[in-house]
Amino acid sequence: MAKPWVQARPKVGMMVPIGLNLGLITLVSFVALPLALAVFPQQQEISADDLEPEFHGKGGDGGKVWFNRGL
């Protein structure tokens, strides 16, 4: 139920949810996103035999290849 002052100013009533959404997006972008990206290491290794057939047998130490996650 809208308050009388919001009914008298409908544009204000529309701007509050927009401001709340922008605030939540900003909060998530600066807090949760870096934490989510930090969960996994930047560089990883995988067996070359787990990749496409053209890479089978071409790995280095123990048949492993390193890759950068590339953010």
Side-chain angles (χ1 to χ4, degrees):
M1 184 169 167
K3 303 282 183 191
W5 64 272
V6 175
Q7 289 175 344
R9 298 166 190 87
K11 288 186 179 183
V12 172
M14 299 267 305
M15 289 181 1
V16 171
I18 293 172
L20 183 64
N21 280 339
L22 290 175
L24 287 173
I25 290 169
T26 302
L27 179 70
V28 169
S29 296
F30 284 107
V31 175
L33 182 61
L35 293 174
L37 294 175
V39 170
F40 300 101
Q42 181 70 22
Q43 291 185 340
Q44 295 177 338
E45 70 177 21
I46 189 170
S47 173
D49 294 333
D50 291 339
L51 299 173
E52 289 86 2
E54 63 191 75
F55 298 109
H56 290 187
K58 294 185 179 178
D61 260 353
K64 302 278 184 180
V65 294
W66 283 90
F67 67 94
N68 188 338
R69 205 169 48 159
L71 296 175

